[in-house]
Amino acid sequence: MAATPAVRALEKARVAHTLHPYDPEHPSDQGHGEAAVAALGADPRQVFKTLVARVDGALTVAVVPVSGTLDLKALAAAAGGRKAAMADPADAERTTGYVLGGISPLGQRRALPTVVDESALGFATVMVSAGRRGLQVELPPADLVRLTRARTAPIGRC
């Protein structure tokens, strides 16, 4: 299995992590995050999806639990902006260097401002995309926040 930029970033930073591969094929009525949770038998509150939004026009990464949704108003406030909207998928892919369903908050082509939902801090480890569909990485949330230079805020809704 070739290392993704996300995995290389973790290795370079010497962060303890565990890779969790799974079959990325899933029903069309199920999102990529839900497919990862189902395939891995994981807690959907502990698996986080990486979403790219525009806050006052600037691309911003939001990391929220699969079990919930992104609160765009809360993201805008946490990022110091007034208005947030989901980014165009092509912009998200081009800027991060990853494909939808495999966008990782780590090792992006161009590091974007990042906000991690504060619920992540309640777990010893969390899972995020490792940079491709069918691969999650488990790591301590403090390391995720540190490596992405993220701020934490209540940006997820259950």
Side-chain angles (χ1 to χ4, degrees):
M1 179 182 330
T4 65
V7 174
R8 285 195 294 276
L10 289 167
E11 290 170 347
K12 182 179 178 190
R14 298 177 192 232
V15 170
H17 63 279
T18 304
L19 294 177
H20 296 277
Y22 63 96
D23 181 357
E25 295 302 315
H26 59 279
S28 60
D29 66 338
Q30 189 180 51
H32 294 286
E34 290 83 0
V37 165
L40 297 171
D43 180 343
R45 297 170 302 150
Q46 195 172 357
V47 179
F48 285 71
K49 52 191 171 187
T50 306
L51 304 172
V52 181
R54 286 196 178 274
V55 176
D56 294 345
L59 290 175
T60 303
V61 172
V63 182
V64 296
V66 167
S67 62
T69 59
L70 173 62
D71 181 334
L72 288 166
K73 286 184 181 181
L75 174 63
R82 295 171 45 95
K83 186 177 180 189
M86 294 307 296
D88 178 70
D91 288 344
E93 290 182 337
R94 187 173 37 257
T95 304
T96 63
Y98 296 119
V99 297
L100 287 184
I103 294 178
S104 178
L106 302 157
Q108 295 177 355
R109 182 177 290 148
R110 190 175 96 213
L112 296 172
T114 301
V115 182
V116 174
D117 186 72
E118 67 184 10
S119 68
L121 301 176
F123 296 99
T125 60
V126 294
M127 283 191 234
V128 295
S129 174
R132 76 165 172 260
R133 293 177 187 153
L135 187 62
Q136 293 282 307
V137 63
E138 184 175 359
L139 74 161
D143 287 327
L144 174 65
V145 169
R146 180 175 55 84
L147 289 178
T148 59
R149 295 189 177 108
R151 50 181 76 175
T152 59
I155 59 168
R157 279 194 301 230
C158 292

